[in-house]
Amino acid sequence: MRAGPEGERRGLSRRGLLGLAGAGVVGAGAGAGTDRAAMALASGATPASTVHPFYARHQSGIVTPAQDRLHFASFDVADITRAELVELLWDWSDAAARMTAGRSAGEYGPVDGPYDAPPEDTGEALDLPASSLTITIGFGPTLFTALDGRDRFGIAARRPDALVDLPAFPGDALVDTLVGGDLCIQACSDDPQVAVHAIRNLSRIAFGRAALRWSQLGFGRTSSTSRAQATPRNLFGFKDGTANVKAEDTGLVDDHVWVSPGDAASWMVGGSYLVARKIRMTIETWDRASLREQERVVGRTKGTGAPLSGGEESTAPDFSATGRGDAPLIDRDAHVRLAHPGANGGAMLLRRGYNFVDGNDDLGRLNAGMFFVCFQSDPRRQFIPIQQRLAENDAMNEYLRHVGSGIFAVPPGARKGSYVGATLFGD
Amino acid sequence: MSPRPSALTVAAVLCVLPLTACTANAPAGGDASAPLAVTSSADDCTVDAAEAPSGPLSFSVSNDTDQVTEFYLLAEDGLRIVGEVENIGPGITRTLTVQARPGEYFTVCKPGMVGDGVGRKAFTVTDSGAEIQLTGDLEAQGEKAAAEYVAYVKDQVGQLVTATRSFADAYRAGDDDTARSLYAPSRAHYERIEPIAESFGDLDPKLDFREADVPEGDEWTGWHRIEKDLWPPAAAENGGAEYTPLSAADRARFADLLVADTQGLYDAVHDEAFEVPIDSISNGAVGLLDEVASGKITGEEEIWSHTDLWDFQANLEGARVAFDGVRPIVEQKDGELATRLDARFAALERQLSAYGSLESGFASYTDLSTAQVKELADGVNALAEPLSTLTAVLVG
């Protein structure tokens, strides 16, 4: 495959546009190079908008300081060949590299293509800066082995052992239409329109090769992934992610987030495993719980986020501390106790969840909660045992329903002139 | 039903009724009078004013020690506790709100939770003219309510034992029609006192877990295990798998377990040490409405028999009994709340009665339209929202 300018390969799928337009028509604006970055500058928007490079050793959107908005999408791959799947990953990577740099999804952009062709880019991000956009691509278990057992793309033997099917957890209330997927894309940005623009255009690029299975919008990151970020609050009104793995803890990140050299699935080295759970909160009953009950369930104060054993937000919880009648200050079933690495053989997760409100349900209740996203080097040692413990005992379960679920292998980042997945499928 | 501990288990009795107050949220915007700052240090207990006008009075207690501390507002005799806040971890700030009458008081902190405390200081509440109701014999009323509620629980569990035996006998004998007709009416006794049953952490999972609540590797037992066998699902509703009816031996085993675990509940509530503190009664009432809101109104509780409205009715009756028991106290402390709750209970009871009664039977959950379910859900919210303030009123 040839690399084009800026490391982007000329997308074969762009042939459709050129073919349609015909050689004589292309002149309308092709090559004018109008793109989002330029427009943003021209319209006086801040050039300071952060750009997270797409081509890097690790995919961005993992240890990247959590942006404020999310659009997550899971895809089913159509009945296509391995070569066509690779083609899709090339096209996605090219478009992702452009969009994360603040440019349009394709080279002609929203307004510079042939006048009689639909614009190559949908345009809603035309005047917006990069807005810290990251695009993170993952592979679900069914990409390797279809539900009917078929090895559609000749990669079944390379499915990593760590990419297990998630077990059923007690209390699961999963909805079929919110589960699984062959591919996923996590788009995060500080501007919701930029994140939506990314998923919209990547979905469009995929038509005929992959189709949206389920997707989720999120707002108000519920975790901080950098010490530079304040701890945000989830829809329970509590600070969330205080004890999260932070990007600055490079040792922890290497141990708990990235697949290390020497792993049996060598193509995953530098990658990570993403588990997503759509967790509905029963907001109405939570709001009727006393402050005493809410703090008991969480194990932290609602105001400052300090553990109930004392101190301030960053103070390590003292699970042995007792109060009146020798009762533990942090309840035996408190979320902070059960989720703590100490209760889980040291296992930690890099959490990257977002709040969601999808309107309301038929009963007039807010359809709201947390879209929980976490990254780890091995879900068999991290998410699964932690969630098992939480699902059985967490006092918070009374106010939660897990309705959606997915697990994906997130390969390492692409180098310039290549694509995400090259370590699996080859260049 | 819910695999989770109810609000009841939280309660660990906090306040001696009715002279004490529990922590309340600090006024956020500063529209209410700002709380007085209290600092509990190793050898002192400073309050940033020695005097305050009568009416609602808040203390924001910060723990500057390295031990767990408590703060007390004591009456003029230096003994009687007017308000307290306990279990304040080092560095934590918690708020105490009381309805203070004019008079002389003492404030004191108790780092380490032992001894007479440190930093005892005189505190004066001046007469602001605010009217504060007399407590009268509220304490006696609280004890009476608690005793009556315990008697109610024992009576319901007693009836549950009898009803469960009949149900189990019919099921064990293969008389499925009889078993199906006894299922929902028998469970009503359980549903009326569900938060109490849930407070015994090991019993509710054995008796009332739904299939999805059971951890992998654990055996699923109890009411809903048998429910599924009596109303066997089609393969499509059973995750695609054909449902295999239980063998006669398994039937006998699950029936025996149900009877034995129900007896376990009977023994637990007849234990001499069994008591229900006043705040557990009110929290239990809220818990019952939460059960309705999260399980019955969604049809998730009785997923095979669709007898959710029976459970709904029983939960509602249990909540009503709990409220009626403490109502005399509520009436004195917050007459408006008592009146509002009367009206909301009546409205929801009326709404539900359109679908049947425990005596004549209820409509199947699946016969209700979405609009009808939403109406009921709105009624539950209308009652549960004011009901959720009951505990704070009782102990405040």
Side-chain angles (χ1 to χ4, degrees), chain A residues 46-81:
Chain A
T46 169
S49 173
T50 311
V51 171
H52 297 293
F54 180 76
Y55 298 110
R57 176 159 165 257
H58 305 295
Q59 289 200 60
S60 57
I62 302 174
V63 294
T64 308
Q67 303 94 324
D68 284 332
R69 305 291 182 138
L70 165 84
H71 193 171
F72 185 93
S74 160
F75 295 84
D76 289 325
V77 175
D79 187 13
I80 57 173
T81 64

Side-chain angles (χ1 to χ4, degrees), chain A residues 22-184:
Chain A
V25 193
V26 172
T34 312
D35 60 35
R36 280 171 47 207
M39 294 289 278
L41 281 171
S43 64
T46 169
S49 173
T50 311
V51 171
H52 297 293
F54 180 76
Y55 298 110
R57 176 159 165 257
H58 305 295
Q59 289 200 60
S60 57
I62 302 174
V63 294
T64 308
Q67 303 94 324
D68 284 332
R69 305 291 182 138
L70 165 84
H71 193 171
F72 185 93
S74 160
F75 295 84
D76 289 325
V77 175
D79 187 13
I80 57 173
T81 64
R82 175 181 170 122
E84 287 167 322
L85 173 62
V86 170
E87 194 63 43
L88 170 64
L89 294 171
W90 266 112
D91 291 342
W92 271 1
S93 299
D94 286 354
R98 297 182 62 93
M99 289 190 286
T100 52
R103 303 165 64 209
S104 59
E107 27 182 326
Y108 298 111
V111 294
D112 294 325
Y115 208 48
D116 289 311
E120 196 179 23
D121 179 289
T122 53
E124 72 272 30
L126 191 54
D127 309 318
L128 302 175
S131 308
S132 305
L133 176 69
T134 57
I135 292 169
T136 315
I137 298 171
F139 304 155
T142 47
L143 190 70
F144 297 85
T145 324
L147 287 179
D148 60 10
R150 276 188 308 143
D151 178 9
R152 293 177 288 173
F153 307 110
I155 51 175
R158 304 195 69 191
R159 175 173 168 176
D161 292 340
L163 186 64
V164 292
D165 293 308
L166 291 176
F169 298 102
D172 269 3
L174 301 180
V175 177
D176 286 345
T177 50
L178 298 173
V179 171
D182 297 327
L183 296 169
C184 79

Side-chain angles (χ1 to χ4, degrees), chain A residues 69-320:
Chain A
R69 305 291 182 138
L70 165 84
H71 193 171
F72 185 93
S74 160
F75 295 84
D76 289 325
V77 175
D79 187 13
I80 57 173
T81 64
R82 175 181 170 122
E84 287 167 322
L85 173 62
V86 170
E87 194 63 43
L88 170 64
L89 294 171
W90 266 112
D91 291 342
W92 271 1
S93 299
D94 286 354
R98 297 182 62 93
M99 289 190 286
T100 52
R103 303 165 64 209
S104 59
E107 27 182 326
Y108 298 111
V111 294
D112 294 325
Y115 208 48
D116 289 311
E120 196 179 23
D121 179 289
T122 53
E124 72 272 30
L126 191 54
D127 309 318
L128 302 175
S131 308
S132 305
L133 176 69
T134 57
I135 292 169
T136 315
I137 298 171
F139 304 155
T142 47
L143 190 70
F144 297 85
T145 324
L147 287 179
D148 60 10
R150 276 188 308 143
D151 178 9
R152 293 177 288 173
F153 307 110
I155 51 175
R158 304 195 69 191
R159 175 173 168 176
D161 292 340
L163 186 64
V164 292
D165 293 308
L166 291 176
F169 298 102
D172 269 3
L174 301 180
V175 177
D176 286 345
T177 50
L178 298 173
V179 171
D182 297 327
L183 296 169
C184 79
I185 299 177
Q186 171 196 268
C188 297
S189 169
D190 290 330
D191 185 328
Q193 186 136 326
V194 169
V196 167
H197 170 261
I199 293 295
R200 177 179 174 186
N201 282 272
L202 294 170
S203 303
R204 186 178 172 213
I205 287 169
F207 280 137
R209 297 181 284 180
L212 268 178
R213 178 181 174 85
W214 55 276
S215 58
Q216 183 64 50
L217 289 174
F219 65 92
R221 64 185 167 84
T222 61
S223 293
S224 50
T225 51
S226 165
R227 294 202 197 291
Q229 293 183 301
T231 312
R233 290 179 188 271
N234 61 29
L235 292 182
F236 281 152
F238 277 76
K239 291 188 175 182
D240 199 330
T242 294
N244 204 10
V245 177
K246 304 285 198 290
E248 291 86 347
D249 303 323
T250 48
L252 285 180
V253 168
D254 284 342
D255 288 350
H256 295 277
V257 179
W258 305 124
V259 176
S260 315
D263 191 277
S266 56
W267 65 270
M268 274 294 290
V269 172
S272 189
Y273 292 90
L274 180 162
V275 174
R277 303 282 285 185
K278 181 170 183 176
I279 306 172
R280 171 106 183 247
M281 292 172 168
T282 53
I283 296 282
E284 289 74 13
T285 51
W286 173 264
D287 291 346
R288 293 200 278 264
S290 63
L291 183 61
R292 177 187 299 279
E293 160 80 349
Q294 293 186 6
E295 291 193 348
R296 178 193 75 91
V297 165
V298 174
R300 293 182 178 277
T301 65
K302 195 165 190 174
T304 64
L308 293 183
S309 53
E312 42 195 51
E313 187 196 340
S314 58
T315 307
D318 175 1
F319 297 113
S320 61

